[in-house]
Amino acid sequence: MMEKFKEWYEKRHDYAQEWKNKTGGKVVGYFCTYVPEEILYAAGVLPVRILGSHEPQDVTEPHIFGMYCPFCRDCLAQGLKGKYDYLDGIMIAQSCLHIRQTYTSWKIHKPVDFSYYLPMPNNVQSKRSLPYLKGELEVFKKAVEEWTGKTITDDDLNKGIEIMNTSRALTRKLYDLRKESNPPLSGLEAMYAVVASQMVDKKDYNETLQELLEKLPRRQLENSSKIRLMILGSEDDDTEFVEMVESLGAIFVVDDHCTGSRYFWNEVSSNGNPLEAIAARYVERVPCPSKDWPERTRIEHIKKLAQDWKVQGAVVIQQKFCDPHELDIPAIIKSLKEEGIPAQFLEFDVTVPIGQFKTRVEAFLEMLGEEDLY
Ligand code: SF4
C-alpha cells in the first residue's frame, strides 16, 4: 500500500487522465495550498496540485524571471512542455508573487477552458480577512457553477468539506505514528503519501490510507536507533534528497512544508455556514510565511512539532531566491537553537547536488551524534 502512494506520485499524469476517462469529469490544476479544494470537490471537479519534475529545463527563460524560485520555474516548465495538457482549468489563490507569475505565464501561453485567480488575503491576521475571503469564496463558487453548469448546494459543500477533512484526519494519524520511538514508516514514505494526496481523488486516497492505518502499527522498520530529524522550509517534494539523508542513519519524523504538514494540518469546522467555515479554515491554518505577519505565529508551531515528535536536529531548506522563507529562516533557526535543536541550512535548486549535500548532512549527523542528543 505504501507503494501505491509512490506510484500515484510518479504516475500522476496517468492517474489524472484515467480519472477523466473513467468519470468524464473535469480536472483543475492548482498552484498553491490556499486553493479551497472543498469547493472543487463540491462541484465534482478533481483538484490536482501542479508540482515540478526536478529535471533541468530551458523553456521558462523567456517567460519568468531567472531569479524567481526554481520551484516556480519547474512548475511552469511542466505546463510549457505539455505535461499537463489534460487539465481543463488552472487556478491559484494569492500567496507569494513568484508562484503567481507561474500562473499568469501559464494562463497566457497554455490557455485553458477555466482559469481563476482567487484573491486570498495576505494579512490573514486582520479581522477583515474572514468576511473578505467569505465574499471571495461566494464569487469563486459562482464562477465554478457557471463553468461546470452545476449548482453547488450547501449539501454539496458539506460533502466537499467532509472528504477534505477525512483526508486531513487520516494523514494526521499517519503523522502521529511517526511520534513512536521506532516509527513504522520512513520520512520518504510519508512524503510520498502526503504529496500523492494532493494529486489523486481524495476518495481513493482516503480508502487506501484507512486500510494502511489498520496495518501500519504492526510494521517494524529495521533500525530503531536512527537520529530523529525534522525538515522544514520552502516547498519540497525532493524524494531523492530525503532518501539520501535517511540512508545515513537518520529518519525524518515530521516536517513543516506546504507540500507536507501545512497542507493538511487544520480542518474545516462542520458547524454553521459552509462557505464561512471554509473561509475560516484558510484564514486560520498554519500559514505560509508570505502571510505570517505582523506576528510570526509559525515559529511556535514549529517548536511544538519539534517537541511532540522528539526531534534531535532540523534540516532547514530554502528554494533558491524564495523570499518569504528567506525572511523567516534566521528567526526559525535561532528559536530552534534556543530549544537545543541544531539546524542544518541547505539551499535547493531544480536539481540538488546530492553528493555535496551528502557530505554536509554526514557532518551534521556526526555533530548530533557527538552532542549525544539522542
Ligand atoms: S513561497 Fe517560496 S518556494 Fe513557495 S512558491 Fe513562493 S518563492 Fe517559491
Side-chain angles (χ1 to χ4, degrees):
M1 247 169 263
M2 281 293 187
E3 283 299 307
K4 192 75 200 163
F5 299 128
K6 184 176 180 211
E7 183 191 319
W8 280 336
Y9 172 80
E10 288 175 349
K11 297 187 178 161
R12 63 192 82 163
H13 304 304
D14 296 339
Y15 176 92
Q17 193 62 67
E18 279 163 24
W19 183 91
K20 276 183 81 159
N21 297 343
K22 196 170 69 185
T23 65
K26 294 178 190 294
V27 180
V28 163
Y30 67 96
F31 290 100
C32 173
T33 54
Y34 277 93
V35 163
E37 290 179 70
E38 290 82 356
I39 296 173
L40 295 168
Y41 272 104
V45 173
L46 177 66
V48 169
R49 183 154 183 197
I50 295 171
L51 293 177
S53 68
H54 303 281
E55 288 162 6
Q57 54 86 16
D58 58 2
V59 295
T60 59
E61 199 63 28
H63 309 295
I64 194 166
F65 187 38
M67 278 177 71
Y68 273 22
C69 89
F71 166 64
C72 298
R73 285 182 278 119
D74 197 4
C75 286
L76 179 59
Q78 303 313 302
L80 296 176
K81 287 161 133 185
K83 297 274 173 68
Y84 281 92
D85 277 357
Y86 54 84
L87 292 181
D88 302 288
I90 55 167
M91 76 171 291
I92 190 168
Q94 174 65 38
S95 53
C96 91
L97 289 177
H98 295 211
I99 198 71
R100 184 170 171 190
Q101 178 61 33
T102 303
Y103 164 78
T104 309
S105 193
W106 189 307
K107 191 177 153 185
I108 294 168
H109 301 290
K110 297 292 284 186
V112 281
D113 198 25
F114 176 79
S115 50
Y116 199 90
Y117 167 75
L118 178 76
M120 169 78 211
N122 264 355
N123 188 0
V124 290
Q125 292 175 19
S126 157
K127 280 189 191 138
R128 291 188 289 275
S129 64
L130 178 57
Y132 175 83
L133 182 59
K134 187 188 167 219
E136 285 300 335
L137 294 187
E138 276 162 10
V139 177
F140 173 56
K141 181 170 92 72
K142 278 199 194 102
V144 175
E145 285 174 333
E146 272 169 31
W147 178 50
T148 57
K150 174 185 160 55
T151 304
I152 302 172
T153 63
D154 276 3
D155 206 29
D156 294 327
L157 287 173
N158 285 329
K159 282 184 191 143
I161 290 171
E162 207 217 316
I163 196 165
M164 289 296 296
N165 274 354
T166 303
S167 167
R168 289 169 180 138
L170 291 172
T171 313
R172 191 74 178 250
K173 280 188 186 163
L174 187 72
Y175 269 48
D176 279 345
L177 289 173
R178 301 167 76 195
K179 285 181 179 164
E180 291 175 15
S181 57
N182 186 15
L185 73 160
S186 66
L188 179 65
E189 288 171 324
M191 180 178 265
Y192 278 129
V194 69
V195 180
S197 78
Q198 295 159 56
M199 299 169 164
V200 301
D201 189 333
K202 294 281 190 293
K203 187 171 170 291
D204 287 344
Y205 173 76
N206 292 350
E207 278 170 15
T208 304
L209 183 51
Q210 178 76 61
E211 222 180 302
L212 179 69
L213 285 169
E214 282 158 25
K215 296 178 179 154
L216 256 188
R218 296 190 294 278
R219 188 181 189 223
Q220 289 274 323
L221 289 188
E222 273 168 24
N223 185 350
S224 58
S225 59
K226 292 175 177 169
I227 297 177
R228 299 173 70 87
L229 295 178
M230 175 179 201
I231 184 162
L232 61 110
S234 307
E235 184 282 336
D236 176 27
D237 67 316
D238 205 314
T239 54
E240 198 186 349
F241 174 77
V242 169
E243 190 169 19
M244 178 275 285
V245 176
E246 294 197 317
S247 74
L248 300 174
I251 183 165
F252 285 112
V253 290
V254 74
D255 71 82
D256 179 70
H257 287 309
C258 64
T259 25
S261 66
R262 282 207 301 282
Y263 173 67
F264 65 83
W265 212 250
N266 304 66
E267 290 185 22
V268 177
S269 161
S270 47
N271 298 323
N273 176 290
L275 273 190
E276 185 161 342
I278 294 169
R281 188 265 169 191
Y282 286 89
V283 163
E284 290 161 10
R285 57 160 272 190
V286 181
C288 164
S290 66
K291 299 189 189 294
D292 200 21
W293 52 271
E295 197 192 326
R296 268 201 180 107
T297 61
R298 209 173 120 241
I299 294 181
E300 287 309 309
H301 171 69
I302 289 170
K303 278 167 35 181
K304 178 96 173 53
L305 289 180
Q307 273 167 11
D308 292 353
W309 271 260
K310 298 188 180 63
V311 163
Q312 297 164 246
V315 175
V316 180
I317 69 112
Q318 183 202 322
Q319 293 279 344
K320 200 172 179 181
F321 310 127
C322 165
D323 300 327
H325 283 276
E326 188 166 16
L327 207 65
D328 254 17
I329 281 172
I332 290 172
I333 291 180
K334 183 169 171 278
S335 297
L336 286 173
K337 277 191 183 152
E338 284 164 5
E339 298 292 303
I341 299 169
Q344 173 67 56
F345 173 76
L346 294 169
E347 189 176 72
F348 275 26
D349 212 321
V350 170
T351 58
V352 300
I354 286 289
Q356 197 193 100
F357 278 4
K358 188 174 177 192
T359 310
R360 294 174 67 184
V361 172
E362 273 171 342
F364 180 58
L365 295 178
E366 205 177 300
M367 186 268 289
L368 289 176
E370 280 167 9
E371 289 195 0
D372 200 21
L373 290 168
Y374 56 99

